Amino acid sequence: PLAGISDTYVWENKLSLEHLPYMNDHKVNDAVVLPGVAYLEILYSALQEAFGNAFHQVVNLDFKTPIFLNENETIDAQLRINVADQHNA
């Protein structure tokens, strides 16, 4: 949980082609793009860590901006989950 806010969880990670070289195989118009399933895997892992191995359902997921991975560049990615109540985040 985020310090001082018990209903907010935050995860941070660094994304780069150096750490994810296989992403070079996922290109759109010659640009390396993080695939949508990677977003879901990140979210699923975070939900498991925050709420355990229960059933989790994702509703209304929007991909608003793609993450492009460029050579010699590292992206600081952050996922934040805000808990609305015992059944929704």
Side-chain angles (χ1 to χ4, degrees):
L2 192 61
I5 305 174
S6 63
D7 61 349
T8 299
Y9 295 86
V10 177
W11 291 266
E12 294 181 337
N13 205 340
K14 297 190 180 299
L15 302 174
S16 71
L17 288 175
E18 179 183 349
H19 293 102
L20 305 167
Y22 52 87
M23 286 296 150
N24 276 308
D25 295 334
H26 193 270
K27 293 185 178 183
V28 176
N29 295 330
D30 294 324
V32 179
V33 180
L34 191 70
V37 72
Y39 292 81
L40 292 173
E41 183 61 32
I42 292 166
L43 178 59
Y44 177 77
S45 294
L47 290 170
Q48 292 293 316
E49 185 177 326
F51 305 110
N53 291 326
F55 173 78
H56 304 292
Q57 180 178 2
V58 177
V59 179
N60 296 328
L61 177 65
D62 292 322
F63 295 97
K64 295 185 183 219
T65 305
I67 295 177
F68 293 100
L69 301 174
N70 300 309
E71 288 290 332
N72 302 317
E73 181 179 83
T74 299
I75 296 171
D76 293 319
Q78 184 181 84
L79 171 65
R80 177 176 291 192
I81 297 176
N82 297 314
V83 178
D85 59 42
Q86 72 181 58
H87 300 292
N88 298 289

